[in-house]
Amino acid sequence: MNHKTWIFDLDDTLHHASGGIFDHINKLMTEYMMRQLGVDEAEACALRSRYWAQYGATMHGLSTHHGIDPQQFLIETHPVEVLEQWLQFEDRLAENLSALPGRKIILSNGPQHYVEGILQRMRIQHHFESVYGVERLNYVPKPHLDAFQTVLAREGLNPAHCIMVEDSLPNLLTAKELGMTTIWVSREPRKPAHVDHRVEKISQLLRLHLD
């Protein structure tokens, strides 16, 4: 197990972003798009949803189709000092991460300042050797193959020795195609074919037999 590298997603994996953080980010994104694109709320919401579904990140669609500066967009829509009021995560998260043998890396579609800010507020940043926000992925989000390959190349990793922990099935599909072990963080009873293990929370990772 010590040869394994754990690659963790952040939102809805290490903390419960659906408990309020995502709602506020979506609101800020919609308002930003209304201002910058001159569209009404309904059209901004529709575009935001479409780009997220098509590209894995609203930012990617906005920069591709509208010439929006991705860095400015990400800064304005991810104010950690505002979002932290909704931060929810499981008890003993730090202890459970510490108990997992092997290297640990964060791979998130969120911007670097947000990812680092959330990790610091959860007091778990020291458990991760490397942290990849979307800027460090050249603004190419998961589930695109390039996002994963950027991390594998920079960290010198063999995907066969990596464990991907994620709440997103499309992201896990790419990880599986690369040869990683896949762990889905979900309360759903089903387990799709490209998911090796399903857990409801991070503490359950300690019980898995991954050798």
Side-chain angles (χ1 to χ4, degrees):
M1 275 298 294
N2 285 328
H3 300 297
K4 298 289 188 185
T5 296
W6 298 82
I7 303 177
F8 283 89
D9 174 49
L10 176 66
D11 294 329
D12 276 349
T13 298
L14 290 175
H15 73 104
H16 182 47
S18 294
I21 286 179
F22 273 162
D23 286 344
H24 196 72
I25 289 173
N26 287 339
K27 176 174 172 285
L28 292 173
M29 285 184 176
T30 299
E31 290 171 355
Y32 184 92
M33 293 165 69
M34 289 168 67
R35 285 196 310 273
Q36 297 292 325
L37 305 182
V39 297
D40 63 19
E41 185 176 0
E43 189 172 348
C45 285
L47 277 175
R48 178 173 53 74
S49 298
R50 190 168 90 216
Y51 291 154
W52 188 84
Q54 187 174 350
Y55 297 108
T58 303
M59 170 270 311
H60 198 68
L62 289 174
S63 59
T64 300
H65 296 287
H66 305 279
I68 293 288
D69 174 22
Q71 186 63 47
Q72 191 58 40
F73 172 73
L74 292 170
I75 288 170
E76 291 197 26
T77 56
H78 290 75
V80 181
E81 66 282 356
V82 176
L83 298 171
E84 68 177 324
Q85 65 187 291
W86 295 289
L87 186 57
Q88 302 171 42
F89 54 97
E90 61 192 81
D91 294 336
R92 301 180 59 80
L93 179 60
E95 293 94 321
N96 288 322
L97 287 171
S98 183
L100 292 174
R103 292 175 68 194
K104 300 174 192 74
I105 290 170
I106 294 284
L107 172 54
S108 173
N109 283 350
Q112 196 74 23
H113 77 273
Y114 165 80
V115 177
E116 291 178 359
I118 293 294
L119 291 174
Q120 286 164 6
R121 282 159 176 79
M122 292 195 289
R123 299 193 173 129
I124 59 172
Q125 71 274 20
H126 55 285
H127 292 290
F128 300 97
E129 286 190 19
S130 298
V131 175
Y132 287 85
V134 74
E135 298 99 317
R136 295 195 69 197
L137 308 172
N138 304 312
Y139 295 102
V140 178
K142 301 174 290 182
H144 296 279
L145 193 60
D146 284 356
F148 291 84
Q149 289 179 328
T150 294
V151 175
L152 293 172
R154 285 199 198 159
E155 299 294 327
L157 296 173
N158 177 348
H161 297 153
C162 295
I163 303 166
M164 185 79 205
V165 185
E166 260 277 3
D167 68 296
S168 162
L169 288 174
N171 296 346
L172 288 171
L173 182 58
T174 305
K176 190 64 183 172
E177 288 171 347
L178 282 164
M180 297 184 191
T181 299
T182 54
I183 300 178
W184 187 30
V185 181
S186 173
R187 294 184 179 277
E188 290 195 33
R190 68 194 178 105
K191 188 167 79 66
H194 66 279
V195 170
D196 294 313
H197 305 276
R198 185 187 65 80
V199 298
E200 292 189 4
K201 52 190 178 181
I202 298 302
S203 60
Q204 294 174 348
L205 294 176
L206 298 166
R207 303 180 206 161
L208 298 179
H209 300 288
L210 299 171
D211 295 309

